[in-house]
Amino acid sequence: MAALQQSPVAFHPKSPPAARIRAKSLYQIPLRSSFSGNIRHLRLAGKSGLKLRPARHGGAAGSKMMDSASSSYASALADVAKSNGTLDATSADLEKVEKIFSEPQIFDFFVNPIIAVEKKREVIDDIASSSKLQPHVANFLNILIDMRRIDLINEIVKEFEIFYNKMTDTEMAVVSSVVKLDSQHLAQIAQGVQKLTGAKNVRIKTVINPSLVAGFTIRYGSSGSKLIDMSVKKQLDEIATQLDFSDIVGSLAT
């Protein structure tokens, strides 16, 4: 089974072609700061500006609004990050959040309606402290808890990545390999993807996939629609097809 190898690395043509690895660190930060900015489909409410409320629509429009809730929340956060100049830092924070909430026990804790909101806020405080989340990101998580929409966090992270890439003219490429690739190889791949796409920046996510046998694959484009397959598995499949060894390969696989 494929497994995430590391956090995304970023390639910027004006800087040296080196991979940038974002690591966790332990710091204490203040929480409950104001969350504001240009909010599309959302509006701020409450004296402290801490409440995000989806704009009300009726009938089919209301249903559509709920379906696009993840995109709306992600757009709101992206607007705030852009307005205060923290797009890169916010993207890095959400990578940490995504990893944390990928743990089933943590996700189940936050979506459990029986657990008190206050208790969930305490855990967010701990997460914010141990992961060095920016105040507006920690506050955003508390907003989702208050709105009982924390279950959307994984979808929101994916939607934020889309907004981030559009705002920064960044192409996302997913590189799958059998072993961990070094930063020099990742930088070369990033340069290649940049030439193919003409994007200003290229971000790479790496994935370990033992089934490739050797070599690597690169997925990029809208929703990973484009594929460059440099794996030994592809070569073996092509040889098996040409020599009609499919029955033998199938029997060995079972």
Side-chain angles (χ1 to χ4, degrees):
M1 180 180 294
L4 185 64
Q5 176 178 318
Q6 60 189 40
S7 300
V9 298
F11 171 76
H12 303 278
K14 294 183 180 179
S15 59
R20 184 180 66 196
I21 308 299
R22 294 162 178 156
K24 293 181 179 178
S25 54
L26 303 178
Y27 293 91
Q28 182 69 36
I29 65 170
L31 296 178
R32 309 296 189 266
S33 61
S34 175
F35 185 91
S36 60
N38 297 322
I39 310 299
R40 184 175 59 191
H41 302 310
L42 298 171
R43 65 172 180 269
L44 295 174
K47 295 181 180 179
S48 63
L50 291 178
K51 298 292 185 180
L52 269 176
R53 293 180 179 175
R56 293 183 179 179
H57 298 281
S63 177
K64 184 177 181 180
M65 177 61 192
M66 294 304 295
D67 291 341
S68 61
S70 297
S71 179
S72 297
Y73 282 115
S75 177
L77 182 58
D79 285 343
V80 171
K82 182 179 180 180
S83 68
N84 61 24
T86 63
L87 269 174
D88 287 341
T90 301
S91 178
D93 279 359
L94 289 187
E95 290 168 16
K96 301 173 186 176
V97 171
E98 183 179 32
K99 288 183 179 180
I100 292 169
F101 279 84
S102 67
E103 296 290 336
Q105 290 183 335
I106 294 178
F107 183 83
D108 291 345
F109 169 84
F110 280 103
V111 300
N112 190 335
I114 299 177
I115 299 176
V117 169
E118 290 75 15
K119 183 63 177 178
K120 294 177 181 179
R121 278 181 169 272
E122 290 177 5
V123 177
I124 289 296
D125 287 357
D126 292 338
I127 290 174
S129 175
S130 63
S131 299
K132 194 189 173 183
L133 298 183
Q134 296 172 96
H136 68 273
V137 174
N139 186 54
F140 182 74
L141 294 176
N142 280 314
I143 290 170
L144 293 178
I145 290 174
D146 290 344
M147 299 296 296
R148 291 177 172 80
R149 302 316 303 266
I150 195 67
D151 59 307
L152 297 177
I153 186 61
N154 293 323
E155 289 76 12
I156 291 172
V157 170
K158 291 180 176 64
E159 291 292 333
F160 179 91
E161 188 173 84
I162 293 173
F163 286 113
Y164 172 88
N165 291 341
K166 289 180 179 178
M167 289 177 171
T168 58
D169 189 14
T170 297
E171 182 72 32
M172 174 64 72
V174 179
V175 178
S176 300
S177 59
V178 178
V179 297
K180 180 179 179 179
L181 299 177
D182 60 36
S183 60
Q184 180 179 358
H185 290 149
L186 293 175
Q188 290 175 347
I189 291 173
Q191 288 176 320
V193 172
Q194 186 189 34
K195 289 180 180 179
L196 289 172
T197 63
K200 181 179 179 180
N201 306 300
V202 175
R203 298 177 72 229
I204 291 180
K205 282 186 177 181
T206 55
V207 174
I208 296 298
N209 187 354
S211 70
L212 297 177
V213 183
F216 59 91
T217 65
I218 307 170
R219 281 201 174 275
Y220 65 100
S222 178
S223 302
S225 58
K226 298 181 180 180
L227 173 67
I228 300 174
D229 195 336
M230 304 295 292
S231 67
V232 170
K233 180 180 184 300
K234 178 189 177 184
Q235 298 174 20
L236 293 176
D237 289 343
E238 290 176 346
I239 293 173
T241 299
Q242 293 173 3
L243 299 179
D244 196 21
F245 286 165
S246 56
D247 292 341
I248 299 176
V249 173
S251 64
L252 291 175
T254 58

